[in-house]
Amino acid sequence: MENREIAAIFGQIADILELKEENPFRIRSYRRVEEALGNVGFNISRTILEDPDKLRGIPGVGEATFRKILELVETGACEEHRQLLSEVPESLLTLLELQNLGPKKIALFWKQLGITTLEGLEEAATSHRLRTLSGMGEKSEAKILQAINEFRRREGRIRLDRAVETAQSFLDYLKDNAMLDRLAVAGSVRRRQETIGDIDILVSSDQPPDVIEAFVRHPSVKEVLAQGGTKGSIVVGRGIHVDLRVVSDDSFGAALQYFTGSKQHNVALRERAKRLGYKISEYGLFDLGTGAQVAGHQEEDIYSRLELEFIPPELRENQGEIAKAEHHQIPNLIELGDFKGDLHMHTTDSDGRNSLEEMVEAGQRAGYEFIAITDHSKALAMIGGLNEEELVSQIQNVRAVRKSFPDIEVLTGIEVDILADGTLDMQDEVLEMVDVVIASIHSRFSLTRKEMTARICKALQNPSVNILAHPTGRLILRRERYDVDLEEVARCASENRVCLEINAYPARLDLNDAHSRMVRDMGVLLSINSDAHSISMLDYMSYGVDTARRGWLESDDVINTYTKNRLDKVLRKETYR
DNA sequence: GCCGTTTTCGGCCCGACTGTTTTCAGTCG
């Protein structure tokens, strides 16, 4: 059982307990378990048998939880979970994913109107039956209908990080359980698109049926949709399709190219091939005259035969990359290896899971030359945001910690909230004391476009602000971005020598690929940061890099790749681009 | 359900916003 699956069961237990209006503290403790298990850096199924104390040591995991995990690992299910599922219609749990709808209202709809499905809820809202309930009115019905629409739009898609995890588990499994030559993930996962409809895996092997047979027996398979001689298609989790294609090794490169897409990129490539006297398919590149295969073993050869520079998968969207490749002008895309530091992370002083010392140590282990500690400000009272006094005291702590870690520069910082009127949630004198000021929005998302733009631009004019974090506020597959004129924000940013962030947190990736490219072209400098809330989340940086690469960014566009010296000049606003 | 220089019971991050109300319940972060 994958960590994610185990964690999800605890999440579902919490959901059902909420619908049943059980003790909120018990529910919270299940949520804590869900979060903790989702973030551990080792395989739970293996560890619980080999080193059970490691699991018992996770904060939030007590004896009862430990026993449930053991039951799950040993039997694949858990009695309490099964029992709870029998008390509540499963379709009710889907309704919890709707915005602005929580357990109380869902339970009310269920008990008063017998609503258990999305369709039932939609019907009740459309026919104005919801407003007959106390606390419900016209606006609530409209909001629910909107939430249903938004939910439908994202249904069947998953976030990139989840898809990468699932794909990796299939790759590891196939390596161990099938006779094969090469294997790779293709499709939108390889192109690092931010959401994924289905996962494509490509294998080369002499024994396709055996590979397919192993594939459909992967332990997470919920349903086998197709099992043929060279193709298999299965469903995992909640409706996510994984497709496997097996080819001979001489076709692997061509198949990788073909199944990586995108469709539009391939159409353009096919036209070019035809013009040059070739035919291209998933089996190879063939000479139209002789019919001989001229490329196919290696993906690179396909491009070079077509007189093109190799095009990184992230650029294959038919957005001008083929013309650039023709003239050998493919950008030298930024890589994780270019990074010298991470400028946005949290500690236990606000809502992080690890202490200042632990974060610094992890930053050093990650090979960084510098990191910035940027906890939340007091507007986020619920998660213990810092007030002026607490920030000053954290600055002292950072100075003290520097002595123990001579190999990494630890910058002081704050992620300060932009209040509704565009002022910052921290006195200017205190903001002036820290090395990095990140400004960001965490509340009042529904201002008008004009108000929101003015609010953000006002914040950017504060001379202490260095970075605007997650500039659009969207949460992938969960919350739409707020309405803001990003071009105007980009202009304000460059005028005030502020960097815009690509927040690498997998649920955010904000700015996204297209926006990153747009603001860079407008002369804006970017910063890519993990926004880590624990040491393991420092690894999220790679998703930010994926986004930046899709946005055609090079290392010079991103201050995290600068030397400490050059970075300091940008932070002090002595230079910009 | 978890946790404990408050230690085996009794606590457990809280403030703002929205839409419904006319003083509040539900949701979110």
Side-chain angles (χ1 to χ4, degrees):
Chain A
M1 235 180 173
E2 299 292 314
N3 289 6
R4 176 85 52 206
E5 296 174 87
I6 299 173
I9 298 223
F10 286 94
Q12 208 168 54
I13 292 177
D15 285 345
I16 300 173
L17 292 176
E18 273 201 306
L19 288 169
K20 294 182 63 187
E21 301 190 38
E22 289 265 350
N23 177 354
F25 298 109
R26 206 175 143 217
I27 295 165
R28 188 191 294 165
S29 92
Y30 277 116
R31 295 258 179 247
R32 242 186 114 190
V33 170
E34 177 189 15
E35 203 198 323
L37 296 186
N39 288 325
V40 297
F42 51 82
N43 181 299
I44 294 170
S45 299
R46 262 202 307 279
T47 308
I48 198 167
L49 303 172
E50 290 164 7
D51 184 8
D53 284 342
K54 200 166 167 189
L55 218 63
R56 285 199 178 90
I58 300 173
V61 175
E63 205 34 50
T65 300
F66 180 83
R67 278 201 308 273
K68 286 191 188 87
I69 300 173
L70 194 61
E71 192 186 347
L72 279 168
V73 169
E74 285 177 341
T75 71
C78 147
E79 185 48 39
E80 168 153 9
H81 178 235
R82 217 185 342 240
Q83 174 62 33
L84 285 169
L85 269 178
S86 72
E87 295 174 33
V88 169
E90 204 174 347
S91 58
L92 216 51
L93 299 176
T94 310
L95 302 185
L96 283 167
E97 290 179 44
L98 297 174
Q99 281 285 298
N100 301 313
L101 211 51
K104 296 269 168 57
K105 283 190 183 160
I106 291 170
L108 180 76
F109 301 159
W110 179 32
K111 286 174 186 151
Q112 297 290 318
L113 300 175
I115 291 168
T116 58
T117 63
L118 202 67
E119 292 71 28
L121 180 63
E122 185 177 34
E123 196 281 319
T126 313
S127 63
H128 306 315
R129 283 195 294 137
L130 291 184
R131 65 179 71 165
T132 61
L133 301 172
S134 78
M136 297 296 301
E138 195 178 335
K139 284 198 175 173
S140 308
E141 284 178 341
K143 270 194 147 177
I144 284 170
L145 289 174
Q146 192 195 340
I148 291 174
N149 280 334
E150 278 170 15
F151 176 82
R152 292 223 171 102
R153 231 178 302 144
R154 65 190 192 230
E155 216 176 1
R157 299 195 71 81
I158 52 172
R159 265 172 18 200
L160 175 63
D161 59 313
R162 302 275 160 85
V164 166
E165 252 175 56
T166 304
Q168 192 57 50
S169 98
F170 273 91
L171 293 184
D172 293 342
Y173 168 87
L174 287 171
K175 252 183 269 176
D176 292 342
N177 292 282
M179 286 294 291
L180 46 82
D181 297 314
R182 286 184 282 172
L183 82 175
V185 57
S188 49
V189 177
R190 183 160 181 245
R191 297 200 317 280
R192 292 300 198 246
Q193 210 170 270
E194 63 190 32
T195 66
I196 305 295
D198 39 39
I199 297 169
D200 295 296
I201 291 170
L202 181 68
V203 165
S204 66
S205 169
D206 300 335
Q207 288 139 15
D210 296 349
V211 179
I212 308 270
E213 183 60 31
F215 172 67
V216 299
R217 282 208 304 264
H218 184 284
S220 328
V221 171
K222 293 261 155 59
E223 192 188 345
V224 178
L225 297 174
Q227 181 177 3
T230 61
K231 270 166 83 168
S233 184
I234 53 103
V235 179
V236 294
R238 288 198 305 175
I240 300 309
H241 293 201
V242 184
D243 294 332
L244 173 73
R245 184 71 185 250
V246 188
V247 298
S248 74
D249 205 49
D250 345 323
S251 292
F252 186 82
L256 185 58
Q257 195 291 311
Y258 182 87
F259 290 111
T260 296
S262 67
K263 205 171 268 177
Q264 298 84 334
H265 174 86
N266 285 356
V267 166
L269 214 61
R270 206 150 47 226
E271 283 167 4
R272 182 180 178 84
K274 209 171 161 192
R275 257 201 329 275
L276 294 172
Y278 298 112
K279 178 178 82 109
I280 189 171
S281 75
E282 65 261 55
Y283 300 106
L285 187 68
F286 300 91
D287 190 299
L288 268 182
T290 67
Q293 193 197 55
V294 296
H297 187 263
Q298 296 293 343
E299 189 183 45
E300 290 82 352
D301 300 340
I302 306 275
Y303 287 96
S304 66
R305 275 285 181 164
L306 295 175
E307 294 163 36
L308 294 173
E309 192 180 352
F310 182 75
I311 301 176
E314 297 92 332
L315 298 188
R316 300 183 194 171
E317 301 289 347
N318 199 25
Q319 306 255 344
E321 72 277 9
I322 293 178
K324 291 281 185 195
E326 196 169 35
H327 299 105
H328 292 269
Q329 290 170 349
I330 290 293
N332 188 10
L333 296 182
I334 189 168
E335 292 172 13
L336 201 50
D338 299 332
F339 277 66
K340 296 191 170 65
D342 190 339
L343 297 172
H344 185 171
M345 68 187 69
H346 299 269
T347 75
T348 44
D349 287 348
S350 67
D351 60 345
R353 293 269 172 272
N354 291 100
S355 68
L356 170 60
E357 289 81 0
E358 288 166 336
M359 293 306 286
V360 174
E361 197 198 344
Q364 186 171 280
R365 235 184 358 254
Y368 287 142
E369 293 174 21
F370 54 82
I371 58 165
I373 302 297
T374 55
D375 272 308
H376 287 291
S377 66
K378 61 183 180 296
L380 294 178
M382 157 226 170
I383 46 92
L386 308 182
N387 60 27
E388 280 77 0
E389 216 172 291
E390 288 163 334
L391 177 55
V392 169
S393 126
Q394 188 187 60
I395 294 171
Q396 308 297 332
N397 295 339
V398 169
R399 286 182 184 146
V401 160
R402 283 174 184 159
K403 298 197 178 80
S404 327
F405 296 92
D407 297 333
I408 185 166
E409 304 254 16
V410 188
L411 306 183
T412 57
I414 183 78
E415 181 183 8
V416 61
D417 257 60
I418 301 173
L419 303 176
D421 63 357
T423 58
L424 300 178
D425 181 34
M426 179 87 37
Q427 290 163 20
D428 287 344
E429 309 86 82
V430 182
L431 288 178
E432 284 162 16
M433 294 169 68
V434 298
D435 301 314
V436 183
V437 174
I438 300 179
S440 63
I441 285 186
H442 294 104
S443 63
R444 299 300 303 271
F445 296 116
S446 48
L447 300 185
T448 65
R449 183 182 181 86
K450 213 173 150 195
E451 290 167 338
M452 190 60 98
T453 307
R455 173 188 184 187
I456 292 175
C457 285
K458 181 171 176 190
L460 298 188
Q461 282 159 15
N462 183 307
S464 294
V465 171
N466 300 114
I467 298 172
L468 175 67
H470 39 79
T472 77
R474 61 107 173 242
L475 292 176
I476 296 175
L477 300 179
R478 244 175 59 214
R479 186 177 72 207
E480 300 288 319
R481 53 173 288 197
Y482 43 70
D483 198 7
V484 63
D485 181 347
L486 203 57
E487 288 186 44
E488 183 59 28
V489 168
R491 270 190 292 274
C492 287
S494 82
E495 261 166 40
N496 293 285
R497 300 194 160 183
V498 173
C499 301
L500 297 187
E501 185 180 60
I502 297 178
N503 189 290
Y505 214 77
R508 291 192 182 271
L509 301 183
D510 181 7
L511 299 172
N512 69 13
D513 45 12
H515 286 148
S516 303
R517 191 177 177 181
M518 178 187 89
V519 303
R520 190 272 312 266
D521 290 346
M522 291 176 67
V524 170
L525 206 48
L526 288 101
S527 179
I528 307 180
N529 301 303
S530 70
D531 199 356
H533 286 66
S534 72
I535 54 178
S536 63
M537 294 185 196
L538 288 170
D539 296 340
Y540 286 166
M541 193 66 103
S542 68
Y543 295 106
V545 176
D546 293 335
T547 303
R549 290 172 62 86
R550 287 180 58 82
W552 292 60
L553 298 196
E554 304 185 63
S555 63
D556 219 41
D557 299 321
V558 178
I559 59 170
N560 305 66
T561 69
Y562 291 5
T563 60
K564 173 67 169 43
N565 207 357
R566 187 176 173 197
L567 173 74
D568 282 339
K569 289 194 178 116
V570 174
L571 293 176
R572 289 198 303 262
K573 307 202 177 186
E574 292 163 16
T575 61
Y576 190 56
R577 284 213 65 114

